Amino acid sequence: MSESRPFVSLATDFGAAYTAICAGVVYSIAPAANVLVLSDEITPFDVREGAMLLRQALPYLPVGVHTGIVDPGVGTPRLPVAIETGRGDVLVGPDNGLLVPAAERLGGAVRAHALENPAYRLPEVSASFHGRDVFSPAAAHVVNGVDVADLGARVDPVPLDVPPPAVRDGELTVPVLYTDRFGSLILGAEREDLTAAFGELPPGTPLDVAWTVPVPGAERVTFEETFGAVSPGVPLLWIDSSGWLGLAVNQGSAAEILGLAGVRTVTLRVPRL
């Protein structure tokens, strides 16, 4: 990490005011730090969405301490944790899988320690605002030079709870990772998963997309390189900027137009003749 201007990022589902409080705690302990609010708009309680944001964004940020807080288990026995990565970053947040995909993109988890040492928390710790009382102080102390081993006992981070894609000849079943602000569904499959199921897919190839929960539905779409390959209001599949498969509607919301709100898994198939 830079000794001249240490770097801290914050990504939360708190909204602006509570995230600003966390930034203020960091500044009060590490006044020389450059603190970036990466996002305060993660969908509340959506650990998968937060994990994918961190996975996508952190490789483009300077080496530093990156604090991720999407913590529906705050106040329960779930651990607060700091993960040191192969690139040299330290990721701070709840041990609920949120930090693990980003750690993998940053060279893997070298070691992880629970945030237990009261010296690196605020004097009073609330039951519901660990972002302020536990995570932000720990991030500030680490960026000031505290070794992660001094924070608490060594732990094995909990992996993110996302099922892998199920690949069959002519069929691919994938989890929905999250729905972005445009209403596009980002799916837990990459280009090689598509190739394994369907072979090479040239632009314009039709595929049937089906889902069963919460309400059964299906739609025929084409696989395209970009949104503009179809007319406004028309659905498509594409590979997004982070390498994930996405289901979108050009200049519209796939979640609304296709009735996909709440869908957690979709299956892609080659259309029957």
Side-chain angles (χ1 to χ4, degrees):
M1 296 182 213
S2 170
E3 295 180 359
S4 59
R5 194 76 195 277
F7 185 84
V8 178
S9 72
L10 294 165
T12 82
D13 62 351
F14 290 166
Y18 288 119
T19 304
I21 292 171
C22 294
V25 170
V26 174
Y27 278 125
S28 69
I29 297 169
N34 181 4
V35 180
L36 169 72
V37 175
L38 175 61
S39 177
D40 56 25
E41 296 180 334
I42 298 168
T43 300
F45 319 120
D46 197 329
V47 175
R48 286 187 187 180
E49 179 182 328
M52 292 306 109
L53 169 66
L54 295 171
R55 177 187 181 273
Q56 180 178 15
L58 295 191
Y60 299 96
L61 301 188
V63 174
V65 180
H66 306 292
T67 307
I69 312 169
V70 182
D71 193 15
V74 62
T76 71
R78 73 92 187 92
L79 290 174
V81 68
I83 302 174
E84 183 178 317
T85 74
R87 195 180 79 159
D89 307 86
V90 174
L91 311 185
V92 173
D95 188 25
N96 59 7
L98 175 71
L99 307 176
V100 171
E104 292 170 351
R105 289 290 302 273
L106 297 173
V110 175
R111 54 180 176 158
H113 289 261
L115 309 182
E116 299 171 326
N117 191 332
Y120 305 119
R121 297 179 166 193
L122 293 191
E124 296 183 9
V125 175
S126 69
S128 59
F129 199 0
H130 286 187
R132 177 194 65 195
D133 304 333
V134 178
F135 301 130
S136 296
H141 285 294
V142 170
V143 89
N144 277 345
V146 171
D147 191 276
V148 294
D150 294 331
L151 301 173
R154 192 155 187 165
V155 297
D156 294 320
V158 173
L160 184 67
D161 182 19
V162 177
V167 177
R168 302 178 184 87
D169 185 24
E171 183 176 296
L172 178 64
T173 298
V174 295
V176 176
L177 297 177
Y178 66 98
T179 301
D180 71 13
R181 70 187 303 268
F182 297 101
S184 303
L185 274 65
I186 309 304
L187 308 176
E190 299 176 286
R191 188 180 295 274
E192 53 264 34
D193 301 310
L194 283 174
T195 302
F198 306 115
E200 293 298 325
L201 287 178
T205 300
L207 290 171
D208 286 336
V209 183
W211 56 94
T212 58
V213 177
V215 178
E219 185 76 18
R220 181 161 295 177
V221 304
T222 57
F223 178 72
E224 305 289 356
E225 292 184 346
T226 189
F227 300 102
V230 299
S231 300
V234 174
L236 70 147
L237 289 160
W238 96 110
I239 301 296
D240 82 346
S241 61
S242 59
W244 294 118
L245 180 65
L247 175 59
V249 168
N250 184 19
Q251 299 180 42
S253 167
E256 294 180 4
I257 293 172
L258 302 180
L260 292 167
V263 170
R264 301 296 284 177
T265 304
V266 300
T267 297
L268 313 180
R269 298 186 180 94
V270 174
R272 295 179 180 179
L273 299 178

